[in-house]
Amino acid sequence: MIKLTPQRQIIYNIFKQSKTPLSAEMIYNLLEPNTMNLSTVYRSIDYFFENDLILKFHFNHKSYYFLNTEQHHHYFICTNCLKMNSVDCHLSKTITKLENEHNLLITNHEMTFYGLCSNCQKH
């Protein structure tokens, strides 16, 4: 059972409202002053990640997080503005083939595309 403390609820709401991935520092800077300290933000992020509520990726030596939706898909993330678009997954045949050929049970996979969105290409 997921336990959302008042601090976790605040951070979770920030994730729900965000259109881009967020780092812990970005979340901290969005908070009202004296709401919580940065270590509380990190602990909340760890809790969300351990409970599969958020996903993580690394870019330029920094971790970014975004909500984990129930429908599986992949992402395109702009390396300039961090705009994120979902991309449908079309790997089911490949996964089935891998499982059958190598006697595997694949339980999850991730794929992220990086580049520049149309707005950032113009600059």
Side-chain angles (χ1 to χ4, degrees):
M1 183 168 115
I2 305 297
K3 181 178 179 189
L4 288 182
T5 63
Q7 292 88 353
R8 288 179 188 158
Q9 186 66 60
I10 292 168
I11 294 170
Y12 190 76
N13 288 341
I14 290 172
F15 277 118
K16 282 175 40 178
Q17 295 170 4
S18 180
K19 302 285 187 230
T20 63
L22 300 168
S23 68
E25 293 82 7
M26 292 166 77
I27 293 169
Y28 180 74
N29 290 330
L30 291 171
L31 297 171
E32 294 291 325
N34 301 317
T35 303
M36 65 187 85
N37 58 36
L38 185 57
S39 62
T40 302
V41 173
Y42 274 106
R43 282 193 304 274
S44 296
I45 287 172
D46 288 342
Y47 179 83
F48 293 150
F49 186 72
E50 289 167 5
N51 287 282
D52 295 322
L53 295 174
I54 60 174
L55 299 172
K56 169 172 53 171
F57 74 94
H58 301 283
F59 178 69
N60 281 346
H61 310 290
K62 189 178 258 188
S63 294
Y64 293 89
Y65 307 88
F66 53 94
L67 283 183
N68 185 8
T69 60
E70 291 190 21
Q71 180 182 1
H72 176 78
H73 47 267
H74 302 285
Y75 297 95
F76 168 83
I77 299 173
C78 178
T79 56
N80 187 52
C81 69
L82 294 181
K83 180 180 177 183
M84 184 171 68
N85 294 338
S86 63
V87 178
D88 289 337
C89 178
H90 300 283
L91 295 174
S92 59
K93 289 181 184 178
T94 302
I95 290 170
T96 300
K97 183 178 178 186
L98 279 170
E99 288 179 328
N100 292 337
E101 288 179 0
H102 302 284
N103 194 27
L104 303 172
L105 174 61
I106 297 174
T107 59
N108 191 20
H109 68 276
E110 299 175 18
M111 186 183 324
T112 305
F113 301 94
Y114 298 95
L116 296 173
C117 69
S118 59
N119 283 340
C120 290
Q121 289 178 48
K122 296 175 187 173
H123 296 114

